[in-house]
Amino acid sequence: MKNRLHVAAVAALLAGLAGDTRAQVGAPFIHDPSTIAECDGKYYTFGTGEGGLWSADGWTWQGGAVRPGRGAAPDVLKIGGRYLVAYSATGGGLGGSHRGEVLTMWNSTLDPASPDFRYTEPVVVASSLDDEDCDAIDAGLLLDPTTGRLWLSYGTYFGFIRLVELDPATGRRVPGNEPVNIAIDCEATDLVYRDGWYYLFGTHGTCCDGPNSTYNIVVGRSRSVTGPYLDKVGRDMLQGGGRMVIAANNLKTGPGHFGRFVVEDGVEKMSFHYESDFRQGGRSVLAIRPLLWRDGWPVAGEEFREGTYEIESERRGYALELAVDFVRMERDIEPFWTKPSWPLKDVRPQTLAEVEPGWPAGEVRVRMSDYMFRPNQKWTVTAAGKGGYLGGPYYKIAIEGTDRCLTATAQGDVVARPEFAGGDDQLWRIDQLTDGTYRIMPRRAPGTDRPLALVSLGDSTPGLAPFDFDSDNAKWNFRQQ
């Protein structure tokens, strides 16, 4: 009972956090999730114990993924047309024992409903004994894109993190390959290669204690897959180094078990679990956040929140606005060249009620201009309740206080229509990009199956075009109002 939260206190705290969002929706309850894998248009992740989660869109998750063998902390990796799954049997220093095994097995599909769904018999690729200074647990897989070699990291904070090489054709240990020690004081490792660097992500802290879990994710990098892995200030992860990637935040504690998912150039996601989500009964839940890169280091992106924003083009800094006539404000002030002769008072900002009666009743063009916090420049972004994509829901974007919704057209333009009909042309995907800016895309633009993004066609003209990460025209910022 001592670990139970006071219900009234938590309810009051949650009530004060308007605009916050959950990690995922549905039933995203999992511990030690694998890197997310995509198979035939669906997403899968496996956890400790048997099975895992799957999602048709990457936002709403449910149980039903199948992984035999039970055990702990699996990982999954697609190699060619097959999926390699690695998982651990026992280990983890539990009950004072360091004895454990890491096993691998294959499947041609992750969909249990497929007639081709059939796992191969697991084979042992790493092991540890009771008196060893390493636990064979918490598998992490990397297929090196530069060499085609396959690597497995494993271990916990009870000893060393070790690295062994596997055969990418069989999933078995390369004969004669000896483990290499690459880190200490962490567990649940994962390896990533990017731009000439190997990154070792590890989970630091304590787990399995709900809201008291101190899990956090740290990282080091190396030019060689075998290390040394150093953090940003030069500390070796073999000496306990590691730069923080993400810790507890937004009423969720204990982030651990990092996985990377590259959606496309400039759009990356990081998956992990929170040991305790205060909004979901303190349960361990799957989380997906944008993965950013700054000066060659990974950074956890923002969990996008509903709210009212200025939507600003990265290209020039102009704001998206409803194309209506500029309405002058009352100017009851003294000339600037004179000293004030009466007490100063606040100038009240222009309100929607003062200007909306003069706006056209129907569809209105959208343009860009310098921001002046006028009503036609403030956009309220809310989850539409119409499904989602990997890591987020589709959003409705409307002028604050109205139902005038941003809408994609068949002509490649964007307009504001007077009502929200809930169609694909009014459902917007918002992805934080690896540089911290945002991509805004309609679920589907009318008349085409091509994915199009909101772009700046010029200083004042927004439109729709294929996304190009190398162009600032396709990048936006959200400024909270």
Side-chain angles (χ1 to χ4, degrees):
M1 297 295 290
K2 66 180 180 180
N3 290 327
R4 294 189 59 133
L5 298 170
H6 192 278
V7 175
V10 172
L13 183 58
L14 296 181
L17 289 171
D20 289 344
T21 59
R22 293 183 176 182
Q24 298 292 286
V25 298
F29 308 119
I30 195 170
H31 200 263
D32 307 337
S34 68
T35 300
I36 291 172
E38 186 177 9
C39 178
D40 297 330
K42 298 176 183 177
Y43 300 94
Y44 296 83
T45 182
F46 303 102
T48 291
E50 193 168 10
L53 305 176
W54 72 277
S55 173
D57 59 8
W59 175 241
T60 303
W61 293 81
Q62 58 189 306
V66 175
R67 175 188 65 83
R70 297 188 59 81
D75 201 16
V76 59
L77 177 66
K78 188 175 184 181
I79 301 177
R82 299 185 298 164
Y83 298 86
L84 179 66
V85 176
Y87 68 98
S88 307
T90 67
L94 302 176
S97 172
H98 294 255
R99 183 180 296 271
E101 294 178 332
V102 179
L103 306 97
T104 61
M105 55 187 177
W106 295 90
N107 205 330
S108 61
T109 177
L110 298 179
D111 184 359
S114 169
D116 299 321
F117 183 80
R118 189 176 304 103
Y119 281 101
T120 61
E121 287 296 315
V123 296
V124 176
V125 294
S127 61
S128 58
L129 302 175
D130 284 332
D131 58 352
E132 222 171 311
D133 53 3
C134 175
D135 293 317
I137 194 173
D138 288 2
L141 295 165
L142 169 68
L143 184 65
D144 189 335
T146 66
T147 64
R149 296 169 74 179
L150 178 63
W151 299 93
L152 169 78
S153 62
Y154 63 95
T156 73
Y157 53 72
F158 291 102
F160 287 105
I161 302 299
R162 288 183 171 160
L163 182 72
V164 294
E165 186 175 0
L166 307 183
D167 184 336
T170 66
R172 296 175 179 270
R173 178 93 158 260
V174 171
N177 181 252
E178 294 296 327
V180 177
N181 294 333
I182 56 175
I184 61 168
D185 201 24
C186 62
E187 60 187 23
T189 55
D190 194 51
L191 288 162
V192 164
Y193 177 84
R194 185 180 188 272
D195 290 346
W197 290 98
Y198 296 90
Y199 294 85
L200 177 63
F201 292 83
T203 304
H204 183 263
T206 61
C207 78
C208 313
D209 195 13
N212 303 302
S213 299
T214 63
Y215 254 8
N216 56 84
I217 298 175
V218 299
V219 69
R221 70 181 187 180
S222 173
R223 290 295 189 183
S224 170
V225 71
T226 56
Y229 286 92
L230 309 182
D231 63 20
K232 199 171 185 181
V233 297
R235 296 173 300 178
D236 194 327
M237 291 184 74
L238 264 174
Q239 303 298 320
R243 182 177 188 267
M244 183 71 71
V245 177
I246 188 170
N249 63 88
N250 196 19
L251 285 184
K252 295 184 282 288
T253 60
H257 287 258
F258 173 92
R260 178 194 186 207
F261 190 102
V262 178
V263 179
E264 59 185 277
D265 183 31
V267 187
E268 298 186 16
K269 307 289 183 178
M270 56 180 283
S271 63
F272 55 99
H273 76 214
Y274 285 108
E275 288 276 346
S276 180
D277 185 339
F278 285 29
R279 295 182 186 84
Q280 301 205 62
R283 296 283 300 273
S284 176
V285 299
L286 175 68
I288 301 171
R289 292 276 284 267
L291 178 59
L292 281 50
W293 295 89
R294 293 176 182 160
D295 300 321
W297 288 94
V299 177
E302 296 298 322
E303 190 174 62
F304 191 85
R305 301 184 181 187
E306 298 174 326
T308 298
Y309 295 92
E310 171 206 353
I311 302 178
E312 177 188 284
S313 168
E314 178 74 3
R315 181 178 185 271
R316 186 174 174 182
Y318 272 6
L320 202 66
E321 67 176 25
L322 203 64
V324 294
D325 291 339
F326 184 83
V327 178
R328 295 182 56 81
M329 297 175 61
E330 292 295 328
R331 191 177 179 274
D332 185 19
I333 58 175
E334 296 177 284
F336 64 85
W337 58 85
T338 64
K339 292 183 178 180
S341 61
W342 61 70
L344 301 180
K345 60 181 181 180
D346 292 344
V347 176
R348 179 180 54 80
Q350 195 174 68
T351 67
L352 179 68
E354 292 170 333
V355 296
E356 189 180 23
W359 292 354
E363 180 178 296
V364 179
R365 187 170 57 88
V366 173
R367 68 187 175 203
M368 295 182 296
S369 185
D370 54 301
Y371 187 67
M372 296 185 64
F373 53 90
R374 295 298 180 95
N376 66 315
Q377 297 177 312
K378 297 180 180 180
W379 299 90
T380 296
V381 183
T382 53
K386 299 281 188 177
Y389 45 92
L390 187 63
Y394 285 108
Y395 291 96
K396 166 188 172 184
I397 303 177
I399 291 292
E400 182 185 25
T402 77
D403 233 8
R404 296 173 181 264
C405 295
L406 188 67
T407 307
T409 75
Q411 291 73 41
D413 300 322
V414 285
V415 298
R417 294 209 169 122
E419 294 181 351
F420 179 65
D424 288 349
D425 58 343
Q426 293 183 320
L427 299 176
W428 296 90
R429 170 176 179 153
I430 300 174
D431 286 304
Q432 191 174 26
L433 304 176
T434 54
D435 63 4
T437 61
Y438 288 85
R439 177 179 71 172
I440 306 172
M441 300 179 69
R443 184 173 187 174
R444 183 177 177 276
T448 181
D449 290 327
R450 291 194 307 161
L452 300 177
L454 182 67
V455 299
S456 171
L457 297 173
D459 287 346
S460 61
T461 306
L464 300 173
F467 174 70
D468 179 3
F469 177 71
D470 293 326
S471 171
D472 284 348
N473 290 359
K475 299 176 181 180
W476 301 84
N477 296 294
F478 287 80
R479 311 292 188 196
Q480 189 88 46
Q481 300 302 300

